[in-house]
Amino acid sequence: MSTARTLWPCAALPNAPLAGLTNMKVGGAAEWLLEPATPEELRDAVGAARERGMVPRILGGGANLVVADGVLPGVVIGTSRMNMIMRPQAPDHGATEALDQGLDARVAPSPIAEDPRLACWAGVTMVGLVNRMRRLGLTGLEMLAGVPGHIGGGVAMNAGGRGWEVWSAVELVRLIDPDGTFRDLPREEASPSYRNGNLGEAVVAGVVLRFGTGSVKEVGERINEYMRAKNATQPVTAASAGCVFKNPDPDASGGLSAGQLVDACGLKGRRIGAAEVSERHANFIVNAGGATATEVLALMDLVRDEVASQRGVELEFEVKRWLPGAAG
Ligand code: EPU
């Protein structure tokens, strides 16, 4: 009988429950959950899944995602074990070398003011990244404070907010193409757009980020300020998948954001089962305790339909929805 160890090139779990690995805390199980610990294991995991005719779904940090109830056929790849943040060893190292050599602990990194870059594997949490920025006095992505998820997902979807986005700090992304090979994509050859890294079917293995330098105190204060603002306006302690919808083209929506449109339709507090449109920010659906994925997905559809019929605006999903059958 074949075992997980002989089938897959990294840690693997059959029939793995996914709800606890997502921020929405709903949904069923994956037929297989693979947990690579390095970019090479991730590449091999992607290759092994594809060899078996499966398109792997990348869980990342489980933010921005609703997993349907039931069993999800195929392979899900979690990146939690790939959480290395490295300082490049020399400013004259290109970004590719920074990712290759950053792990060699025998060589001290150059002073941060000379080379304010970080090389991150895909599973670095954005919270961990912000902590490192705080400690080193790095500036440029302070607005990631309190944003859940992994940097790999943040790059893939170009996480951001009003007036900022992750790609503003990207120097290079290391990708895994569908044929299971690495490809380094420099920023100038990429074309990220609002909430989309436009990376096609490629999987993010790592990224080199370039920051500005500032005083540790001031960077820390800015991070605290972003945290305060987020806490004041978003349901940060509730289980949710973050903003459900992308902000629409202002020309089509009369300048209103997705949250403002849902709010204007009187939908705050609307529930299906234990899924609820947040009272704090209408573009969030929260799990009020024990919700099912079916309830969450139905409420998302209801909100989209209401906004279309009341306001004539077709909102586009920002959250990924993993439904059995469709690759996400
Ligand atoms: N507003 C309402 N009612 C609501 C929610 C918001 O009137 O229920 C108003 C606010 O008072 C504010 C305006 O709408 O005047 C805009 O709200 P906010 O500043 O929260 O910005 P947003 O456009 O709703 C975007 C991102 C967020 C990100 C914030 C802050 C999108 C879809 N959302 O929200 O990203 O945290 O800016 O930078 O682009 C996410 O991607 O998961 C996410 C939460």
Side-chain angles (χ1 to χ4, degrees):
M1 195 181 83
S2 43
T3 65
R5 193 172 284 279
T6 55
L7 271 177
W8 302 109
C10 62
L13 195 66
N15 296 317
L18 295 178
L21 303 179
T22 72
N23 290 13
M24 192 80 234
K25 306 286 180 220
V26 299
E31 187 181 350
W32 283 102
L33 175 66
L34 308 190
E35 296 207 300
T38 63
E40 289 71 26
E41 280 194 4
L42 174 61
R43 176 198 57 197
D44 295 346
V46 169
R50 290 215 172 240
E51 267 168 31
R52 291 172 175 79
M54 304 166 180
V55 178
R57 303 176 195 246
I58 312 299
L59 179 68
N64 201 54
L65 172 68
V66 181
V67 177
D69 295 317
V71 175
L72 204 59
V75 167
V76 168
I77 299 181
T79 49
S80 293
R81 301 171 74 205
M82 292 177 54
N83 60 0
M84 293 293 302
I85 304 182
M86 298 155 290
R87 298 265 314 279
Q89 286 160 3
D92 60 350
H93 276 173
T96 293
E97 289 86 346
L99 267 173
D100 283 339
Q101 296 170 27
L103 266 184
D104 187 347
R106 291 165 302 181
V107 184
S110 40
I112 197 74
E114 283 175 31
D115 192 358
R117 292 182 296 169
L118 295 175
C120 304
W121 287 355
V124 167
T125 65
M126 293 199 258
V127 170
L129 179 62
V130 169
N131 285 341
R132 190 66 64 95
M133 290 172 56
R134 184 195 287 273
R135 221 175 321 138
L136 294 171
L138 293 175
T139 175
L141 286 181
E142 291 91 328
M143 340 58 176
L144 281 182
V147 174
H150 291 175
I151 192 65
V155 168
M157 68 167 283
N158 196 13
R162 303 221 141 201
W164 65 275
E165 56 188 27
V166 162
W167 271 82
S168 63
V170 169
E171 183 169 294
L172 173 135
V173 179
R174 179 160 294 176
L175 298 171
I176 298 165
D177 277 327
D179 66 359
T181 56
F182 284 127
R183 172 167 55 101
D184 284 354
L185 178 70
R187 169 67 186 89
E188 54 277 14
E189 289 171 24
S191 47
S193 56
Y194 171 69
R195 284 303 190 281
N196 194 345
N198 289 316
L199 299 174
E201 284 195 74
V203 174
V204 177
V207 58
V208 177
L209 300 168
R210 181 174 287 280
F211 297 91
T213 52
S215 90
V216 168
K217 182 162 175 288
E218 281 169 20
V219 169
E221 282 169 1
R222 271 201 299 278
I223 288 171
N224 293 345
E225 189 41 50
Y226 278 108
M227 289 292 280
R228 267 195 293 275
K230 196 170 175 66
N231 288 344
T233 56
Q234 298 181 3
V236 289
T237 55
S240 86
C243 284
V244 177
F245 301 104
K246 296 181 184 185
N247 281 335
D249 179 347
D251 292 340
S253 70
L256 297 185
S257 65
Q260 286 169 321
L261 283 168
V262 179
D263 196 355
C265 290
L267 292 167
K268 275 185 171 173
R270 177 68 74 89
R271 285 178 84 131
I272 293 183
E276 180 179 314
V277 178
S278 169
E279 294 279 4
R280 185 166 291 198
H281 194 302
N283 199 13
F284 284 69
I285 285 179
V286 298
N287 180 347
T292 64
T294 306
E295 291 165 355
V296 171
L297 292 167
L299 187 56
M300 288 177 174
D301 285 342
L302 179 152
V303 169
R304 196 195 44 190
D305 292 348
E306 276 292 317
V307 171
S309 68
Q310 288 194 35
R311 296 275 162 161
V313 181
E314 299 283 339
L315 289 175
E316 192 186 330
F317 281 102
E318 176 182 315
V319 293
K320 294 257 183 272
R321 293 164 302 149
W322 284 0
L323 313 172

